């Protein structure tokens, strides 16, 4: 089959690879309904993460089960499923505590920018719908797999509640999903930090009440102005750079909470700064599995339309253009037809 | 009057200083019932914090109000009061949010190792008892001012609840108060990390269910053994060194919470380590004012005896020996008779 392989930074190709097979009795093989490119795929693409050997890319997925291993009990061929980018058994103590992304058996998904993919720990990882959903819901269900689940976790970790004042740092796809999540959780004020007209527009559609285009100290001043000099109770850090963390720390009030989901690159925190700032912080790879049933329900009931975050659709064969468009920020998030 | 002055690291003296006066109309002057030495006083004493000029030491206090400024409304001469080491107006947005230690007008108390002291922002800072309490409760009420309030905040920030499994890193006075706090909050399992027999004993009296004497990797292994391989849901970091933070991070479960109250010295956190560890963290100077009324009630009802943490009592004139005893860990916490 044709699938996406990153050979070295900047060199992403659609090329012939072997079809996936059941390797362990707890695996499933799915036929993807669609796939997409993640902001985190850009780290190795940009050379900010090493590429030691050619990598099969893609970790966001939904589709039809075509085969299951001998020990798979709850997932059956023919079912439509969504899974998280973190594969988990959903039964270990960390999973039961709601932190499936720290599952004792955790693996990270790969190879999902392809027509078929192997999903390990199928029973724990995959959530099936009761019927095969209509095609128009595929982008929304695909978004649940990572980008929405991650934005949702940012809002959950930042303790967004009914009436909260929220700042979202980062107008990438995850940040925009963070806006949607904050809105769904009942936030009263959602301030999206964004300098791009198309992203500002989408942020407003998803529920942002205010847009702050400034960054750095000016950005902090604007947030302070908008919050009566206090800062926000909940801040979603959806980038992962030193600058974005500085922004998040400076925008939150003492006793406020920062949920961070951008993988930190080149970031360290000074102990005394965190101490005297009194910011509560929780981050990490999102335990999307915790949220999957709820988020899939919201999509199936057409209560949310996270798939709007895909502003460019390309056939898998044009994946090179997809990475380029996201790298150059011409596209927010690219969906791949597989 | 005779009071405590730190001239340079290692050089602490009891010497003649001017009596405090009302400087602002929101001040009060109190006659201290007792004072004490704080673990944080040891940072400048040990030269780990600069001493640019002679410093009047002491920030823990309780006693009788002798004079108030013209704008003080709720505090009256003759009242017995306890206040926090953080002076706060208790009315700004940060105070109303329960983070009085980040009050817009925050000052840090000083000069309380003395017979008299000036307390700024008296109405916001001080809490009066309805009657002058019996002398035997003075050590307990003095402890509320900082060491108990700080240990309590560590447990509160670490989200200790009914049934929690708690690890307390640090067997100093604050750590021991953290044990007491966790017990009061209903923790089921309280693991105190301590290598000193007398401190282990006190930890057990305050409610520790387990003692771990090992440190470093061995300490982490013991905690893992005691928690079924999972780690603790709540960890109280009560030291402030790189080693103690390492311990706290390694002992807590993914999704668990670290409350840290030891002022970090030479500590920085790697972003990716925090991210992939998925530890929730909140620290800072304790907003003791939030807890004062409740903690004073518990003392006045003889429900808790935090004053047991004072294992050495000295007259103020012998303050030099007091600092030395704490520096050499011969004493857990020294009470000074003023």
């Amino acid at each position: 089959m044709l699938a996406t392989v990153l050979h070295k930074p900047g060199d992403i190709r659609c090329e012939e690879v072997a079809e996936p097979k059941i390797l362990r009795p707890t695996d499933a093989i799915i036929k993807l309904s669609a796939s997409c490119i993640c902001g985190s795929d850009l780290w190795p693409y940009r050379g900010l993460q090493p590429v030691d050997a050619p990598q099969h890319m893609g970790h966001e997925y939904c589709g039809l089960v075509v085969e299951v291993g001998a020990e798979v009990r709850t997932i059956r061929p023919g079912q439509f499923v969504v899974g998280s980018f973190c594969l988990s058994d959903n039964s270990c103590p960390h999973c039961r505590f709601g932190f499936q992304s720290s599952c004792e058996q955790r693996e990270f998904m790969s190879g999902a920018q392809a027509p078929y993919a192997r999903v390990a720990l199928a029973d724990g990882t995959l959530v099936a719908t009761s019927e095969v959903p209509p095609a128009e819901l595929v982008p929304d269900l695909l978004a649940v797999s990572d980008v929405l689940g991650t934005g949702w976790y940012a809002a959950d970790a930042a303790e967004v509640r009914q009436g909260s004042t929220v700042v979202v740092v980062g107008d990438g796809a995850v940040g925009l999903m963070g806006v949607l999540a904050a809105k769904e959780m009942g936030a009263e004020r959602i301030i999206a930090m964004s300098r791009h007209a198309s992203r500002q527009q989408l942020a407003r559609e998803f529920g942002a009440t205010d847009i702050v285009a400034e960054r750095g100290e000016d950005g902090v001043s604007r947030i302070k102005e908008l919050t009566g000099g206090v800062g926000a109770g909940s801040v979603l850090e959806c980038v992962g750079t030193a600058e974005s963390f500085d922004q998040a720390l400076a925008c939150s009030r003492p006793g406020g909470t920062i949920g961070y989901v951008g993988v930190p690159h080149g970031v360290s925190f000074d102990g005394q700064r965190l101490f005297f700032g009194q910011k509560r912080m929780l981050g990490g790879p999102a335990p999307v599995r915790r949220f999957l049933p709820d988020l899939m329900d919201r999509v199936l009931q057409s209560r949310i339309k996270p798939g709007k975050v895909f502003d460019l659709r390309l056939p898998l064969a044009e994946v090179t253009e997809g990475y380029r468009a996201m790298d150059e920020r011409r596209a927010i998030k690219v969906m791949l037809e597989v």
Side-chain angles (χ1 to χ4, degrees), chain A residues 273-293:
Chain A
R273 183 182 178 198
L274 288 194
F275 184 86
F276 287 103
Q278 297 205 290
K279 309 300 164 75
R280 199 187 309 263
M281 293 176 70
L282 173 63
V288 177
R289 179 63 183 82
R290 191 204 312 169
F291 309 118
L292 270 185

Side-chain angles (χ1 to χ4, degrees), chain A residues 6 15-17 41 52 57 64 113-114 122 125 161 202 215 227 234 243 309 328 338:
Chain A
L6 181 69
E15 63 186 26
E16 193 65 30
V17 304
D41 293 332
D52 300 326
M57 300 298 286
L64 292 168
Q113 288 165 6
T125 299
R161 304 275 183 273
L202 203 47
R215 290 194 184 185
T227 57
S234 296
E243 294 69 29
V309 79
E328 295 167 4
V338 293

Side-chain angles (χ1 to χ4, degrees), chain A residues 147-148 151 168-182 190 192-194 196 198-208 211 236 238 306 308-309 311 329 332-333:
Chain A
V147 66
L148 174 61
V168 180
V169 178
D171 63 359
V174 170
L176 293 166
M177 294 291 100
V179 170
L180 180 157
I190 304 171
M193 301 192 80
S194 172
H196 302 79
S198 61
R199 292 162 191 253
Q200 292 174 352
Q201 171 58 29
L202 203 47
R204 287 207 185 270
E205 282 180 43
F206 284 139
I211 303 287
L236 283 55
C238 304
K308 284 201 277 185
V309 79
D311 59 344
R329 300 206 99 204
I332 298 173
K333 192 168 175 74

Side-chain angles (χ1 to χ4, degrees), chain A residues 252-287:
Chain A
S252 54
R253 66 184 301 170
T257 304
I258 298 168
Y260 57 104
V261 293
V263 182
H265 281 75
V267 177
S268 72
F269 303 103
D270 175 67
Q272 290 211 359
R273 183 182 178 198
L274 288 194
F275 184 86
F276 287 103
Q278 297 205 290
K279 309 300 164 75
R280 199 187 309 263
M281 293 176 70
L282 173 63

Side-chain angles (χ1 to χ4, degrees), chain A residues 105-330:
Chain A
Q105 300 198 59
R106 179 186 71 189
E107 294 178 42
F108 288 105
M109 182 68 182
S110 65
Q113 288 165 6
Y116 293 90
R118 182 180 74 92
V119 181
L121 300 169
D123 278 333
T125 299
L126 297 171
V127 176
T129 57
S130 55
E131 293 164 33
V132 174
E136 66 264 28
L137 292 185
V138 164
D140 300 304
L141 290 163
L142 177 62
V144 170
S145 174
D146 178 354
V147 66
L148 174 61
T150 295
W152 196 271
Y153 175 57
D156 182 81
E159 300 181 349
V160 176
R161 304 275 183 273
Q162 200 70 35
S164 291
T165 295
V166 179
V167 168
V168 180
V169 178
D171 63 359
V174 170
L176 293 166
M177 294 291 100
V179 170
L180 180 157
K183 173 74 177 173
E184 286 290 298
M185 292 178 190
E188 190 176 299
R189 193 99 187 251
I190 304 171
I191 306 169
M193 301 192 80
S194 172
R195 296 192 293 192
H196 302 79
S198 61
R199 292 162 191 253
Q200 292 174 352
Q201 171 58 29
L202 203 47
R204 287 207 185 270
E205 282 180 43
F206 284 139
T209 55
D210 301 85
I211 303 287
V212 168
E214 294 87 347
R215 290 194 184 185
E217 283 182 27
D218 292 343
V220 174
S221 299
R222 279 292 294 145
I223 301 287
K224 287 283 166 72
E225 265 175 52
L226 290 169
T227 57
V230 171
S234 296
V235 176
L236 283 55
E237 197 296 312
C238 304
V239 183
T241 62
E243 294 69 29
S244 62
F245 272 102
D246 281 346
Q247 198 86 101
L249 285 163
C251 288
S252 54
R253 66 184 301 170
T257 304
I258 298 168
Y260 57 104
V261 293
V263 182
H265 281 75
V267 177
S268 72
F269 303 103
D270 175 67
Q272 290 211 359
R273 183 182 178 198
L274 288 194
F275 184 86
F276 287 103
Q278 297 205 290
K279 309 300 164 75
R280 199 187 309 263
M281 293 176 70
L282 173 63
V288 177
R289 179 63 183 82
R290 191 204 312 169
F291 309 118
L292 270 185
D294 173 40
L295 297 180
M296 289 166 69
D297 270 357
R298 288 175 200 250
V299 164
L300 293 169
Q301 291 164 21
S302 296
R303 187 168 161 181
I304 54 174
K305 288 293 286 174
K308 284 201 277 185
V309 79
F310 296 110
D311 59 344
L312 179 61
R313 296 187 190 198
L314 294 172
L316 188 63
E318 291 174 35
V319 68
T320 309
E321 164 57 11
Y323 273 72
R324 209 178 289 140
M326 279 180 64
D327 181 37
E328 295 167 4
R329 300 206 99 204
R330 282 185 280 118

